Amino acid sequence: MIGLVITVLLLGQALPMLTDLIARQRLLTQAAELETDLVLARSLAMTSGHTVRFAAYRTDSGGNCYVIHTGPAGACTCDGDAQARCNAAGEALRTFAPSQRSGIQVSVPSRPLAFDAGLGTVTPTATLRLTDTAGRAIHQVINVLGRVRSCTPNPVWGGLHRC
């Protein structure tokens, strides 16, 4: 009986740490997926010979989603179910909506990012911010060459540099 009580007490102390670890890992995973999609957009622009855009939107349900597409700005949008809606001038290449249960929000840039077909450069440059409910954040900084780097404004964790 004493062994059971000790085990329950130890588990009770370990559970908050485990919950925090899971939340941090969820944020790191989401940031890695966003970075991969930004690199994908640049690569698709350079290999296809067409401008590729990355556009993020707020959904009616309070979440957000993003779509990688060809065509002019505004040719495609997405909804909270990660469904792309494109007019005849655009083609959706990838759409993603983080689960609202994750509590992770991605900042929405004021304009879609356009990756140039010839050089892979991006206009405008941007910093996309991923935040969780605990206030932790990861920034994805996209420079003019279309390259992405990750950093955090929080104390350093997860192998990220401080912004």
Side-chain angles (χ1 to χ4, degrees):
M1 192 65 140
I2 293 172
L4 182 61
V5 170
I6 291 172
T7 302
V8 169
L9 288 173
L10 290 175
L11 285 175
Q13 290 179 353
L15 189 59
M17 289 186 297
L18 182 60
T19 303
D20 185 60
L21 177 67
I22 291 169
R24 285 176 188 249
Q25 191 58 44
R26 188 175 289 137
L27 183 61
L28 284 167
T29 301
Q30 182 68 49
E33 187 163 4
L34 177 60
E35 182 176 354
T36 300
D37 285 343
L38 290 165
V39 170
L40 172 69
R42 181 176 185 260
S43 297
L44 288 172
M46 294 178 73
T47 57
S48 71
H50 300 287
T51 298
V52 173
R53 299 183 191 282
F54 174 94
Y57 302 95
R58 294 255 181 254
T59 63
D60 295 337
S61 60
N64 48 40
C65 61
Y66 60 83
V67 61
I68 297 170
H69 67 90
T70 59
C76 295
T77 61
C78 64
D79 58 28
D81 295 328
Q83 298 298 315
R85 311 260 188 261
C86 297
N87 62 29
E91 177 187 0
L93 305 172
R94 168 112 166 91
T95 308
F96 183 76
S99 167
Q100 286 204 288
R101 291 180 299 148
S102 71
I104 297 172
Q105 291 289 320
V106 180
S107 66
V108 177
S110 57
R111 310 184 330 195
L113 306 178
F115 291 89
D116 180 71
L119 301 172
T121 58
V122 67
T123 305
T125 59
T127 298
L128 301 175
R129 293 166 183 84
L130 291 92
T131 56
D132 68 7
T133 54
R136 288 181 291 261
I138 296 177
H139 295 182
Q140 300 288 358
V141 181
I142 304 109
N143 69 17
V144 71
L145 297 176
R147 298 213 169 96
V148 183
R149 72 175 172 87
S150 298
C151 61
T152 181
N154 305 112
V156 177
W157 58 275
L160 298 172
H161 296 285
R162 192 164 180 131
C163 297

